[in-house]
Amino acid sequence: MAQAASDPGAPAELDSPVSAQAVAAIEAAETGKRKSDERCEPEASGQGKRRRGAGGKKLRPGERYIPPPQKRNPGVSFSQEHYAETSYYFEGGLRKVRPYYFDFKTYCKGRWIGKSLLEVFDSEFRAESVEYYQRAAKEGRIRLNESPVEDLSVVLRNNDHLRNTVHRHEPPVVGRPLEVLVDDGEVLVVDKPASIPVHPCGRFRHNTVIFILGKERGFSELHTVHRLDRLTSGVLLFARTLETSKKLDKLVRDRQLEKEYVCRVEGEFPEGEVICEEPILVVSFKIGICRVDPKGKECRTVFQRLSFNGKTSVVRCLPLTGRTHQIRVHLQYLGFPILHDPIYGSSAWGPHRGKGGVMGKSNEELLQALVEEHRSQESLHLLDIPDDGIGQEKNKKMDKSDSPSEPDQSGESHETQATTGCSSTGATIHEESQSFTDSNSNSTSLQESQSHIPIESNGNQTEATDCAKKSPPGTRDHLCSECKLDRADPTEKELIMYLHALRYKGPDFEYSTHLPDWGKEDWVEAE
């Protein structure tokens, strides 16, 4: 189980949208077809000579040598080398990451074979202009089979290995420290602040729970038990050993792990116990959006109001199944969306915002409406989607290995950031193969990722008149578009959704955190 998530040859076990694991599985499937490609037609200049390591095969005139794929080592964890890529600094109550250079790597996707690099950049990596990629190539930042590519007209073949060096900017997160609740050698339990993703995914790498624990606390070889949404806070469990991981994973599968959440919702929630058993269907695996639908999977959540302050209610939530976004979707259906929920509290669902499952539009229209609403409010980044995610999802035919697997049974487990290069339940956190990407997306391929924030549509940004105030000294790059922007820091509303994992209980253990400030009976949101 521990190696399955990081082994590109193993099937993905993700709970919802396609992430780095699914990308790795796609790459593994593509790189499995080796023999047939030895007979590819020539397409670039070269000498008809034997190459060492080419299996003694004589290259025909004009044929480009393509080395065999390297066997990946599934046992490589994040190390000090990865942590040393950059450093943190704190400003205005936020944890920030100094921009840094990073190599995205991938083998040629099946749909890229026969296309030129220029065509691939133009059709799939549109956050930057073709001119940018041409400049990047001339500076040696784009490499094909470890050789710099200056001419983007080169045609891609199966087994081609691409490397793209980018200047990476990560979004800031809440600066509150990660509190370790339990560390007994078998489990590590932390109180996760809102806004921090669990694993490297999308635009996040160093500003993630895994990297912070590794860099600041020295924790490594952690096995995930469950996940929390990026905007959700609370109890987060990791297993320290493979044996403990398997034990906890079985408890999750057998639904013996009791989960208690607390949230603050809009309006006066009914008194007494409220049970919602509406089935939940995934509307978009790519973006990670769900809804109540008769064709969905069985689902059950128990709610109980704890307090009401005249405007909003604090509600206790017991998810008895573990569907993606289960608590959020059921509360939306009941007509009480969670405060600051950028998806299920959106007016894009219609005048009643999805109450009773009524939205009056198709799934495609819903997705488009969500994008347009957040774009108009300059808050598209809250959806954690690529710029052209909707159109691409509609137009792209999924490869067999693209198909997402069943959700896990951990309740609020889906990382919409990206969701998702997040490891699956019970998986050891390893360095995963990163997919080739554009210079500013800091995510996997726009087709496989759901977390790219395009510079032209992210809110609250202007062209920086003094670029030094955008990036700390020594971190600027002359090709980087992000370095030329001056982004306003995110607000609390953008960083914190009022949903908190309060308690996780098993047959012989119980882990809990204190109630967040917004969960107190007399709390009133500041205007």
Side-chain angles (χ1 to χ4, degrees):
M1 171 66 73
Q3 291 185 349
S6 57
D7 182 356
E13 296 182 12
L14 206 59
D15 55 336
S16 35
V18 180
S19 74
Q21 261 109 326
V23 174
I26 296 167
E27 294 166 5
E30 290 167 355
T31 55
K33 299 171 288 189
R34 306 300 177 202
K35 296 294 183 182
S36 60
D37 287 281
E38 293 180 355
R39 296 184 293 274
C40 289
E41 293 297 320
E43 36 75 13
S45 61
Q47 299 298 320
K49 61 182 179 180
R50 293 179 183 271
R51 292 287 301 270
R52 179 174 296 179
K57 178 179 178 290
K58 184 176 180 180
L59 298 179
R60 293 173 293 183
E63 185 176 11
R64 176 165 56 82
Y65 170 66
I66 303 174
Q70 296 296 313
K71 184 177 181 180
R72 295 188 181 96
N73 179 5
V76 179
S77 299
F78 291 113
S79 66
Q80 291 303 320
E81 179 184 356
H82 303 120
Y83 301 145
E85 291 167 344
T86 184
S87 58
Y88 302 116
Y89 66 103
F90 294 82
E91 183 178 70
L94 300 174
R95 177 190 291 269
K96 297 183 177 182
V97 174
R98 288 181 170 82
Y100 57 100
Y101 289 100
F102 183 75
D103 285 344
F104 284 95
K105 311 169 191 175
T106 189
Y107 282 99
C108 176
K109 310 294 183 192
R111 63 182 178 274
W112 298 351
I113 295 174
K115 294 183 179 179
S116 69
L117 268 176
L118 187 65
E119 289 176 298
V120 171
F121 284 132
D122 188 43
S123 62
E124 299 201 28
F125 301 93
R126 290 173 288 186
E128 287 289 356
S129 65
V130 169
E131 289 71 27
Y132 163 83
Y133 294 112
Q134 290 171 332
R135 293 197 304 271
K138 289 185 182 302
E139 296 201 9
R141 299 191 187 187
I142 299 173
R143 304 175 74 88
L144 184 64
N145 303 321
E146 298 307 324
S147 297
V149 176
E150 293 189 6
D151 185 359
L152 297 182
S153 65
V154 61
V155 175
L156 295 174
R157 299 295 190 191
N158 199 19
N159 294 358
D160 271 336
H161 185 265
L162 306 176
R163 179 193 298 260
N164 184 22
T165 302
V166 303
H167 195 234
R168 187 166 184 168
H169 292 248
E170 295 193 25
V173 298
V174 169
R176 182 166 70 84
L178 281 169
E179 180 184 354
V180 175
L181 304 175
V182 176
D183 178 22
D184 59 10
E186 292 189 353
V187 297
L188 175 68
V189 185
V190 301
D191 185 0
K192 183 185 93 67
S195 79
I196 307 179
V198 177
H199 310 113
C201 46
R203 300 181 72 211
F204 296 88
R205 178 172 169 85
H206 290 263
N207 258 349
T208 61
V209 173
I210 291 299
F211 261 66
I212 295 171
L213 287 175
K215 292 174 72 168
E216 297 185 348
R217 304 294 185 93
F219 291 113
S220 62
E221 297 294 335
L222 299 177
H223 305 253
T224 57
V225 177
H226 69 112
R227 284 195 298 260
L228 296 175
D229 288 355
R230 178 169 62 89
L231 300 181
T232 302
S233 58
V235 176
L236 182 63
L237 278 70
F238 297 99
R240 298 295 303 274
T241 67
L242 180 58
E243 181 181 357
T244 303
S245 174
K246 291 178 178 179
K247 173 185 173 183
L248 294 174
D249 189 51
K250 187 176 187 306
L251 293 179
V252 171
R253 291 196 311 270
D254 296 343
R255 295 183 182 173
Q256 296 184 47
L257 187 62
E258 297 179 20
K259 298 154 288 186
E260 179 181 350
Y261 288 73
V262 65
C263 65
R264 184 171 283 278
V265 302
E266 298 180 22
E268 184 176 1
F269 197 84
E271 292 185 324
E273 189 176 82
V274 176
I275 300 176
C276 186
E277 296 181 301
E278 298 297 326
I280 289 180
L281 178 73
V282 178
V283 173
S284 169
F285 286 104
K286 179 183 291 294
I287 304 174
I289 297 177
C290 305
R291 60 171 294 187
V292 164
D293 191 283
K295 296 182 293 226
K297 295 185 176 178
E298 57 91 15
C299 200
R300 191 168 193 258
T301 315
V302 178
F303 300 102
Q304 183 178 17
R305 191 179 89 186
L306 299 179
S307 65
F308 175 60
N309 67 0
K311 293 179 64 176
T312 58
S313 305
V314 177
V315 178
R316 177 175 179 254
C317 316
L318 301 177
L320 303 183
T321 49
R323 304 305 176 200
T324 299
H325 290 178
Q326 175 175 325
I327 294 173
R328 298 165 64 181
V329 173
H330 273 177
L331 284 169
Q332 179 203 43
Y333 178 85
L334 294 173
F336 301 94
I338 295 174
L339 226 57
H340 298 178
D341 190 328
I343 295 177
Y344 302 103
S346 168
S347 59
W349 295 82
H352 303 291
R353 291 189 296 172
K355 180 178 180 181
V358 178
M359 81 181 172
K361 59 186 69 172
S362 67
N363 290 340
E364 291 75 15
E365 290 170 335
L366 167 65
L367 297 177
Q368 192 62 45
L370 278 168
V371 170
E372 292 306 321
E373 176 180 308
H374 283 281
R375 179 177 285 125
S376 67
Q377 296 174 2
E378 296 188 328
S379 60
L380 190 63
H381 54 290
L382 294 180
L383 291 182
D384 289 331
I385 60 173
D387 184 35
D388 298 299
I390 301 299
Q392 289 181 0
E393 182 174 77
K394 250 171 68 172
N395 297 330
K396 179 194 168 189
K397 291 183 178 179
M398 270 192 169
D399 295 328
K400 184 177 181 181
S401 53
D402 280 342
S403 300
S405 58
E406 292 294 306
D408 66 23
Q409 301 297 320
S410 59
E412 290 295 296
S413 59
H414 166 56
E415 286 288 345
T416 54
Q417 74 37 325
T419 112
T420 197
C422 300
S423 297
S424 60
T425 300
T428 306
I429 307 306
H430 292 298
E431 173 67 281
E432 298 177 15
S433 172
Q434 298 286 352
S435 184
F436 198 56
T437 187
D438 64 89
S439 65
N440 286 314
S441 71
N442 305 332
S443 65
T444 52
S445 157
L446 291 183
Q447 293 282 3
E448 278 81 29
S449 168
Q450 54 281 345
S451 299
H452 170 62
I453 314 297
I455 60 170
E456 64 268 26
S457 57
N458 192 18
N460 302 322
Q461 60 189 37
T462 57
E463 192 76 16
T465 54
D466 178 8
C467 293
K469 82 174 183 176
K470 163 61 188 164
S471 300
T475 60
R476 285 184 36 76
D477 178 81
H478 67 284
L479 286 185
C480 179
S481 300
E482 283 281 300
C483 286
K484 300 174 184 178
L485 297 173
D486 182 19
R487 295 185 191 275
D489 284 338
T491 64
E492 178 177 319
K493 185 175 181 179
E494 294 173 313
L495 292 176
I496 300 175
M497 179 174 62
Y498 292 155
L499 176 63
H500 181 80
L502 190 65
R503 181 176 64 94
Y504 272 66
K505 181 182 179 185
D508 55 357
F509 62 85
E510 180 174 341
Y511 308 116
S512 61
T513 65
H514 58 80
L515 199 67
D517 289 341
W518 52 258
K520 297 175 181 176
E521 185 174 354
D522 58 351
W523 179 88
V524 176
E525 185 173 23
E527 296 295 333

